[in-house]
Amino acid sequence: MEKEITYHSTNTYSTLFSLTLKTNKIWLVFHGIGYLSRYFIRFFQELDPTTNYVIAPQAPSKYYKDFSYKKIGSSWLTKENTTIEIENNLQYIHAIFTKEEIPLEKELVVIGYSQGVSMASRWIANYKINPSYFFIISGAFPKELNQKHFLHLTNTSKLIHIVGENDPYFEKKNIELEKLRVGQILPNIRFKTHPGGHELNLNSIVEEIK
């Protein structure tokens, strides 16, 4: 018999730069499968440290990536106990958001990359977050979410879907089907590409932010 128990858990997360009076953009960035937050956050080192503050949550499930037992990756979810894991992750993510005490007047930039799209989207939907920018990058949108989950978004939220033109994980016909589905859920979303593959291209993000 499989049973269930609730207990207190602790996890880390990473930050880049400092939150000061000069900061005008807070970035909440969700890494993909295989990353650790402290390495993923390095993709944002080129941002202006004076005006930007970056927060990278850490997926809780860690594993060794090879048989040398040196390289470690992590995953947000698997097919095992998915519903429970989603709820655990959402509570963890919102605990970070609460602890950081992000001022309401700051612009919030939410980025979901690869598997991180699933958690970023669900967090925005479940906690009724209204970000200034929401980037969906090289990842699949959760199947259980629909347009009703995002009615709280205002016209001030800029929604951008980005995928690499040479992404080996997505066939072009599947990309078009995904764009059609996401476009029905988020009617105001814009779609764009970058010339790379399955990667986070910072330039394609920055040029969308005024």
Side-chain angles (χ1 to χ4, degrees), residues 34-192:
Y35 282 93
L36 293 178
S37 63
R38 64 176 178 270
Y39 299 127
F40 180 69
I41 206 168
R42 294 176 183 176
F43 283 106
F44 303 91
Q45 287 180 332
E46 295 181 11
L47 295 173
D48 184 350
T50 304
T51 57
N52 295 280
Y53 179 56
V54 187
I55 305 168
Q58 172 60 62
S61 299
K62 320 279 194 316
Y63 60 89
Y64 288 109
K65 298 175 69 172
D66 54 35
F67 290 112
S68 69
Y69 299 103
K70 293 181 179 179
K71 295 182 179 180
I72 300 172
S74 67
S75 171
W76 288 104
L77 300 166
T78 66
K79 293 181 180 180
E80 182 71 15
N81 294 328
T82 306
T83 301
I84 293 174
E85 293 301 324
I86 288 173
E87 183 57 32
N88 289 341
N89 287 336
L90 288 176
Q91 290 184 29
Y92 156 70
I93 292 162
H94 207 65
I96 295 173
F97 191 71
T98 302
K99 179 181 179 179
E100 287 290 327
E101 298 181 336
I102 297 172
L104 294 177
E105 70 272 14
K106 307 293 185 182
E107 291 189 328
L108 178 63
V109 182
V110 178
I111 294 178
Y113 165 68
S114 194
Q115 193 191 42
V117 169
S118 67
M119 291 316 307
S121 304
R122 290 180 172 114
W123 177 65
I124 288 174
N126 281 272
Y127 284 92
K128 305 305 177 188
I129 304 299
N130 191 44
S132 302
Y133 301 87
F134 176 34
F135 290 88
I136 298 172
I137 303 175
S138 301
F141 204 76
K143 293 181 179 180
E144 82 275 11
L145 298 183
N146 57 53
Q147 191 174 17
K148 292 181 180 178
H149 290 99
F150 297 93
L151 293 177
H152 65 281
L153 294 179
T154 67
N155 292 332
T156 59
S157 288
K158 297 183 179 179
L159 315 174
I160 303 100
H161 181 287
I162 305 176
V163 65
E165 294 175 356
N166 300 300
D167 193 322
Y169 295 103
F170 297 99
E171 296 182 6
K172 289 187 177 180
K173 62 178 181 179
N174 292 333
I175 291 176
E176 293 306 312
L177 289 174
E178 178 74 356
K179 287 167 63 176
L180 178 63
R181 185 173 74 94
V182 174
Q184 292 173 341
I185 298 171
L186 301 170
N188 295 328
I189 198 166
R190 291 196 304 104
F191 298 95
K192 64 179 296 185

